[in-house]
Amino acid sequence: MLVLGIDPGTAICGYGFVEQNGSRLHAHAYGAVTTPSKMPVEQRLLKIHTVLDELIQKYRPDAMGVEQLFFNRNVTTAIPVGQARGVVLLAAAKNNLVLIERTPLQVKQSVTGYGKATKEQVIYMVTKLLHLPEPPHPDDTADALAVAISAAHCMDTIAWRNRL
C-alpha cells in the first residue's frame, strides 16, 4: 500500500510517499513544492495543484493523507493554508484517491506515541521509522511524511480494510 501524505501551505507544501508492507515502512519520494512570495496567489495554487497532480500520476498512491486544518490564534495564516488544502483535496478527488484526514494530535500520536510531541520529536521519529539517512528538510516535508505514516497506520485497521 502506498500513501501520499501532504502538509499543505502556499509558500511550502510538503509531500511524502510512504509504502507499507506489513509492519515495514519505506519512503518512496518526498520533498516540497515551493512558491515565491511575490507570485500571485492563484499562480501559487496552480503550481501546487500541477506538481501534486504530476506526482500522483507518477507514483499512483492508494490513498492520500492530509492534516486537518488547525489554527489557534492566527486567522491570517489559516486562510492561505486553507486555500492550499482545497487545492490538495481537489487533486485527491480528481485522481479518485481515498482521503484520510488526521488531526495534528492524531499524527503526532501515531508517529511518536505522544499527541503533544514537539516538532523535533516528530522529525526524529520520521527519520527512524523510515530509515532515512538524515532528517528530511524542510520541516514541511517531515510533517508530510508523518501524515503519510499516520494515514498508513489508519488504513491498516480492520475498519478501513472493510470500508475499502
Side-chain angles (χ1 to χ4, degrees):
M1 173 179 54
L2 185 63
V3 178
L4 168 58
I6 301 288
D7 180 35
T10 51
I12 303 172
C13 181
Y15 67 87
F17 290 88
V18 172
E19 182 178 19
Q20 181 174 13
N21 283 323
S23 63
R24 303 229 1 122
L25 296 169
H26 172 72
H28 269 269
Y30 51 92
V33 181
T34 59
T35 61
S37 61
K38 293 193 189 306
M39 182 183 272
V41 67
E42 66 275 12
Q43 293 301 314
R44 295 174 95 177
L45 295 172
L46 178 61
K47 179 179 179 182
I48 292 165
H49 181 269
T50 301
V51 172
L52 288 180
D53 197 50
E54 289 169 358
L55 288 166
I56 291 167
Q57 294 296 315
K58 180 177 180 180
Y59 291 101
R60 299 282 184 200
D62 300 299
M64 178 190 286
V66 181
E67 199 168 74
Q68 289 180 348
L69 184 58
F70 173 81
F71 65 96
N72 202 5
R73 293 181 187 88
N74 194 346
V75 174
T76 311
T77 305
I79 292 170
V81 171
Q83 291 172 330
R85 192 173 183 280
V87 167
V88 168
L89 298 179
L90 175 64
K94 181 180 171 190
N95 289 282
N96 296 314
L97 292 178
V98 173
L99 185 66
I100 302 160
E101 296 183 84
R102 309 294 284 159
T103 66
L105 187 107
Q106 289 171 319
V107 172
K108 291 176 181 180
Q109 176 73 36
S110 184
V111 173
T112 69
Y114 178 57
K116 295 184 180 180
T118 65
K119 184 168 283 294
E120 292 76 20
Q121 289 170 318
V122 171
I123 293 169
Y124 174 81
M125 286 306 297
V126 164
T127 304
K128 293 302 174 198
L129 288 170
L130 297 175
H131 310 286
L132 301 176
E134 59 186 37
H137 292 287
D139 292 351
D140 308 77
T141 301
D143 291 344
L145 287 166
V147 170
I149 292 167
S150 180
H153 288 164
C154 178
M155 286 187 71
D156 201 29
T157 66
I158 292 170
W160 267 97
R161 283 187 294 226
N162 288 342
R163 183 176 160 188
L164 299 175

